[in-house]
Amino acid sequence: MGNAPETKALPLHKLELDPRIIPNRIHAVLYSCGILALFYHHIVRLWNAPTIPSFFIFLTMLVADVVLAFMWAMNQGFRWRPVRRQEFPENLPSVIREESEFPKLDVFICTADPYKEPPIGVVNTALSVMAFDYPAEKISVYVSDDGGSELTLFAFMEAAKFARHWLPFCKENKIVDRCPEVYFASNVVCPLPELKVMYESMRDKIEGVVEKGRVSKELLENDHEQQLFSHWKTGFTQQDHPTILQVLLESKKEMDVTGSYLPNLVYVSREKRKSTHHNFKAGALNVLLRVSGAISNAPLILTLDCDMYSNDPQTPRRALCFLVQPNWRKMLNSNLAFVQFPQQFSQIDKNDIYGCEHKRLYQINPAGMDGLAGPAYVGSGCFFQRRAFYGPPSASREADDPERDTDTITASILQLAQDVASCNYEQRTTWGTKMGLRYGSLSEDLHTGYLMQIEGWKTVFCNPVRPAFLGDAPITLNDALSQNRRWCIGQLEVGFCNHNPLTVGTKHICIPMGFGYGFYAYWAFWSIPILSYGLLPQLTLLSNYPLFPKVSDPRFYLYAYLVLGAYGQDLLDFVLARGGTIQRWWSDQRIWMMRGASSFLFALLQFSLSRIGFSGFGFNVTSKVVDDDQSKRHKLGIFEFGVPSPLFLPPATIAVINLATFIAGLGTTLQKRCFSEMFVQIFISGYVVINSLPIYEAMFLRSDKGKMHIKTTMMALCIAYAVIAASLKF
């Protein structure tokens, strides 16, 4: 009797085109005609400008509309061919029939400052991925501590002990929330109460050493643990120290309390010297790439922010639905670089007042790029093929070496891992240029994913109903704006590099993809029209000088169409996306205006000055520390200003100017009975006033610690007075 035929592999995923593709393209054509008509109107008006001042006012408005048209055109790349994907992890057994056949997975987690990124939060992230619904002996977790802190190492020593109890508990009880902090904070009755006591004891220990700023000897249980902390001696600093590499858990040698294998857990702090330049997150990830290559060399790599814990233990299996092929034993998908999951957040207030959900960046736009060459890499929640870091899909590379047997981590392997983590290893190599994470931009994620696609790699966007990962979003306005400023600077570096998205990107990928990357790269350009429309119509309103057609003029309907067409489509995209509401859309467009007058403006100025050699910038870690009072105000949807940040000054000044001009301009218009001629300017000023209500409240009505700092308020009032006075004379 012959052998029974093999079971046919079931489909692992499916793809559907978004039904809005055709309407989007029709709208793009009609809207383009409207933009051309607007430019014709601008040119005629410039030609017939009665005075030199009016010529410059009209020219400024033309520039503003050119930038708006440019950004609108770039945005069409996301709307050209959006798709939806669905994965079927339940069908994986038809392709991968035994646990021993699962490819190994290396997880990279980066942290840099134990005071801004509390170690207990990083520990929760690591424990949540160690507990994936995936063979434990196939997982290796590498933690990069770029702060070189003994506090972080101690936290992970404690985490290694707790993991022996936590991992089997999750799998035996089929726990879905495998982040300990989230699970124990829920209302679920824990079937093992002593485990909660154990976790709280670990948390108290970790938070205690962070509060003291050092690890006391009495907390170390044996000579081996004391030896680990011998590195932190006189002369050790964050910017000058040797490589510290410690295997805290070694798979197939150490078991959990039920006798099952544990994942690898490796702590790495790369060597740093004062005389050596250090790339920030990209450099740390490249060290992990080389260290993991020496120890496990897993074909799959997951990169995670230190606060992005796993929210779905099935996530690796979902990624495999795209990465494996029916003949996967020979290779993974030969030209698929990575599977990107959206970044989503757990502590966003109901209306998302800071727009931290970034629904377009993390959900809407990736679905549009997925229908072309694939989404951009957004820095976290991304499953890579290791091969993608070593060149084009067709190139042979060192990553094709077989997986390492992690039950034999010899002294020679550890020495090799130490060597590749040295600060001089990359000299005279192509690391950071043709291999690994790419240098040259603060937005190393966007830069790296973009260059991979230029090399011929494809990518996939996976957006399951249950979020794969959840993280912490900024709860203060200053942190949110500072984060956006840093992103904008990094994106401008991509936009003005040798492989410009509008030239190289459109040529080597496709035109819509080049436009999509161009939209990201030139994000900071939004500051030009936002500032122009936030000031010029209002200041000319004071002198009763019309900038726009009156309501009875046919050209008024052109402006109405362009405004309603852009905002209407934007609202539709937002509300139709998962979890989108009108209130959140309103918050999103309001914070977009604030960013335009702060983050985008400062990024554009800082980048421009840097290009001509007047200033520089570095990587600033966004604080993950939560103040109780700030947290309460955030939950209530109250804006948190508090500090005298320069980022608040332009939005506050514009808010004051708009309030003054709206009141004075409305009175003058009604008095002179020219409402029809000044309607658009009154509308724009009133619209800014409504959006600025949180600013007025923080400047004049609030008394809590989150109000606008008096220094910022006084400066805004003085600058607004000077601008209004100058405009009246002009």
Side-chain angles (χ1 to χ4, degrees):
M1 183 180 292
N3 294 329
E6 284 194 12
T7 305
K8 184 179 179 181
L10 298 173
L12 299 181
H13 60 87
K14 71 175 182 179
L15 179 146
E16 296 178 350
L17 294 177
D18 192 301
R20 287 174 290 170
I21 290 177
I22 299 302
N24 282 349
R25 295 181 182 182
I26 294 173
H27 175 72
V29 173
L30 295 176
Y31 201 85
S32 298
C33 295
I35 290 174
L36 292 176
L38 177 66
F39 287 165
Y40 174 78
H41 168 63
H42 273 300
I43 293 171
V44 170
R45 188 169 62 168
L46 270 175
W47 184 264
N48 297 318
T51 64
I52 293 178
S54 62
F55 175 85
F56 283 106
I57 291 173
F58 296 156
L59 180 62
T60 302
M61 297 305 294
L62 172 60
V63 171
D65 284 345
V66 167
V67 175
L68 282 174
F70 172 77
M71 296 303 290
W72 175 85
M74 297 299 99
N75 199 26
Q76 299 316 297
F78 304 123
R79 292 170 172 150
W80 191 250
R81 192 178 182 269
V83 298
R84 302 168 181 171
R85 293 186 187 269
Q86 184 178 358
E87 67 287 350
F88 308 109
E90 65 275 10
N91 291 345
L92 267 179
S94 70
V95 178
I96 305 177
R97 295 177 174 83
E98 297 179 9
E99 283 202 347
S100 61
E101 295 180 342
F102 276 90
K104 289 185 177 179
L105 171 65
D106 287 345
V107 182
F108 295 171
I109 301 172
C110 292
T111 184
D113 187 332
Y115 295 103
K116 290 186 176 181
E117 299 169 335
I120 187 61
V122 190
V123 160
N124 271 278
T125 294
L127 288 169
S128 70
V129 297
M130 291 169 70
F132 271 148
D133 187 8
Y134 203 80
E137 67 275 16
K138 297 283 187 175
I139 299 175
S140 296
V141 177
Y142 295 85
V143 179
S144 169
D145 177 17
D146 230 29
S149 173
E150 61 179 321
L151 310 178
T152 304
L153 176 56
F154 175 79
F156 276 91
M157 286 172 51
E158 293 299 307
K161 299 171 188 175
F162 182 70
R164 302 174 192 274
H165 303 270
W166 176 247
L167 271 59
F169 168 77
C170 288
K171 293 180 180 179
E172 288 175 3
N173 294 279
K174 297 185 177 0
I175 303 299
V176 177
D177 291 320
R178 298 195 179 180
C179 171
E181 185 69 32
V182 173
Y183 175 75
F184 291 123
S186 67
N187 294 323
V188 177
V189 177
C190 179
L192 196 62
E194 57 268 30
L195 190 65
K196 182 176 182 180
V197 175
M198 194 181 303
Y199 171 72
E200 290 174 346
S201 174
M202 176 190 72
R203 183 182 61 194
D204 292 343
K205 274 187 181 181
I206 293 172
E207 291 178 345
V209 299
V210 172
E211 186 176 349
K212 291 180 180 178
R214 60 185 178 85
V215 180
S216 304
K217 286 187 178 180
E218 57 267 20
L219 293 175
L220 306 178
E221 297 179 356
N222 51 53
D223 293 339
H224 174 68
E225 289 187 358
Q226 292 183 13
Q227 182 65 28
L228 293 182
F229 291 90
S230 62
H231 297 285
W232 285 271
K233 55 189 177 182
T234 305
F236 185 104
T237 68
Q238 183 176 344
Q239 296 302 323
D240 196 336
H241 63 79
T243 298
I244 303 173
L245 190 151
Q246 184 61 41
V247 179
L248 300 173
L249 287 176
E250 188 172 341
S251 184
K252 296 188 179 178
K253 282 191 176 180
E254 300 182 65
M255 306 287 187
D256 62 31
V257 292
T258 65
S260 301
Y261 290 131
L262 287 162
N264 283 330
L265 179 60
V266 183
Y267 170 91
V268 182
S269 184
R270 56 177 171 154
E271 180 188 16
K272 287 189 176 182
R273 299 300 173 194
K274 291 180 180 178
S275 58
T276 306
H277 171 73
H278 301 287
N279 290 285
F280 292 95
K281 187 176 178 181
L285 284 169
N286 279 339
V287 167
L288 290 188
L289 191 60
R290 297 193 296 270
V291 167
S292 67
I295 295 176
S296 54
N297 203 43
L300 297 182
I301 292 171
L302 165 63
T303 63
L304 272 183
D305 283 346
C306 65
D307 64 322
M308 296 294 295
Y309 63 85
S310 169
N311 187 57
D312 179 6
Q314 287 281 313
T315 297
R317 295 174 182 262
R318 295 185 187 279
L320 285 178
C321 289
F322 301 100
L323 286 162
V324 301
Q325 298 183 130
N327 62 336
W328 77 275
R329 292 172 183 79
K330 295 181 181 179
M331 66 173 64
L332 296 171
N333 197 324
S334 58
N335 68 343
L336 181 60
F338 60 78
V339 177
Q340 176 68 65
F341 289 80
Q343 289 199 38
Q344 293 173 277
F345 305 95
S346 59
Q347 62 175 19
I348 291 178
D349 62 289
K350 179 182 177 182
N351 294 325
D352 190 18
I353 56 173
Y354 301 143
C356 290
E357 185 180 32
H358 291 288
K359 191 174 289 293
R360 291 180 191 79
L361 176 63
Y362 294 140
Q363 295 184 46
I364 299 173
N365 295 348
M369 300 177 85
D370 198 19
L372 303 168
Y377 171 38
V378 296
S380 185
C382 192
F383 287 81
F384 282 91
Q385 281 201 69
R386 183 179 291 268
R387 295 172 58 244
F389 288 109
Y390 292 87
S394 59
S396 60
R397 54 192 64 81
E398 60 190 73
D400 288 334
D401 292 346
E403 298 173 351
R404 307 282 190 255
D405 290 328
T406 54
D407 56 346
T408 55
I409 302 179
T410 62
S412 60
I413 288 177
L414 288 176
Q415 184 58 53
L416 174 60
Q418 289 267 358
D419 293 342
V420 299
S422 69
C423 59
N424 296 318
Y425 181 83
E426 294 183 356
Q427 291 182 5
R428 295 181 294 278
T429 70
T430 57
W431 279 98
T433 55
K434 296 182 179 179
M435 294 169 58
L437 275 291
R438 309 305 169 86
Y439 303 147
S441 170
L442 290 177
S443 296
E444 76 291 327
D445 45 7
L446 181 77
H447 196 199
T448 299
Y450 170 56
L451 291 180
M452 283 181 175
Q453 291 186 334
I454 286 178
E455 291 174 345
W457 290 100
K458 304 296 182 182
T459 62
V460 160
F461 180 57
C462 183
N463 186 17
V465 175
R466 181 178 176 88
F469 302 97
L470 288 174
D472 296 330
I475 66 167
T476 71
L477 184 59
N478 187 53
D479 282 345
L481 295 178
S482 296
Q483 183 185 66
N484 273 270
R485 178 189 60 85
R486 186 178 72 244
W487 290 352
C488 286
I489 292 172
Q491 290 162 196
L492 283 168
E493 290 170 327
V494 175
F496 289 93
C497 66
N498 293 333
H499 30 268
N500 182 295
L502 300 186
T503 54
V504 178
T506 54
K507 177 181 178 182
H508 288 275
I509 312 176
C510 66
I511 291 175
M513 281 292 292
F515 281 11
Y517 275 110
F519 181 84
Y520 290 141
Y522 306 115
W523 224 10
F525 284 9
W526 281 121
S527 60
I528 297 171
I530 289 175
L531 287 174
S532 299
Y533 275 93
L535 291 173
L536 279 182
Q538 296 80 349
L539 295 174
T540 52
L541 178 62
L542 284 177
S543 55
N544 210 41
Y545 186 84
L547 285 184
F548 303 95
K550 59 183 180 180
V551 176
S552 58
D553 191 321
R555 291 172 299 177
F556 169 81
Y557 298 100
L558 172 62
Y559 277 91
Y561 167 69
L562 292 174
V563 172
L564 294 176
Y567 269 88
Q569 188 176 33
D570 187 71
L571 172 62
L572 185 66
D573 288 344
F574 195 97
V575 172
L576 291 181
R578 189 178 298 152
T581 65
I582 293 177
Q583 181 59 55
R584 285 202 169 194
W585 172 82
W586 177 266
S587 297
D588 190 78
Q589 65 84 31
R590 177 177 59 195
I591 200 69
W592 170 74
M593 291 173 59
M594 290 187 183
R595 288 175 190 149
S598 56
S599 307
F600 300 164
L601 173 63
F602 277 75
L604 192 58
L605 292 174
Q606 200 168 346
F607 175 78
S608 301
L609 290 172
S610 178
R611 296 287 282 192
I612 58 178
F614 281 101
S615 68
F617 38 78
F619 180 83
N620 296 315
V621 178
T622 302
S623 177
K624 309 298 190 304
V625 178
V626 179
D627 177 89
D628 288 341
D629 289 339
Q630 292 175 343
S631 181
K632 289 177 183 177
R633 288 190 288 270
H634 184 252
K635 289 178 181 177
L636 293 172
I638 300 173
F639 276 72
E640 184 72 31
F641 291 89
V643 297
S645 171
L647 288 169
F648 299 154
L649 185 57
T653 302
I654 291 173
V656 171
I657 290 174
N658 274 267
L659 182 60
T661 56
F662 177 74
I663 295 173
L666 183 60
T668 304
T669 301
L670 293 175
Q671 183 181 7
K672 294 185 177 181
R673 299 182 179 180
C674 54
F675 189 80
S676 177
E677 289 81 355
M678 307 305 295
F679 171 77
V680 176
Q681 282 154 273
I682 293 172
F683 176 84
I684 293 172
S685 184
Y687 188 70
V688 176
V689 167
I690 292 173
N691 277 278
S692 300
L693 290 178
I695 298 177
Y696 303 135
E697 183 183 17
M699 293 176 75
F700 307 120
L701 302 178
R702 288 168 56 182
S703 58
D704 57 75
K705 292 183 178 179
K707 67 177 182 179
M708 186 82 75
H709 195 278
I710 186 64
K711 179 181 177 180
T712 307
T713 299
M714 295 307 297
M715 290 182 66
L717 289 171
C718 292
I719 295 172
Y721 176 79
V723 171
I724 291 173
S727 69
L728 290 173
K729 291 180 181 179
F730 185 75

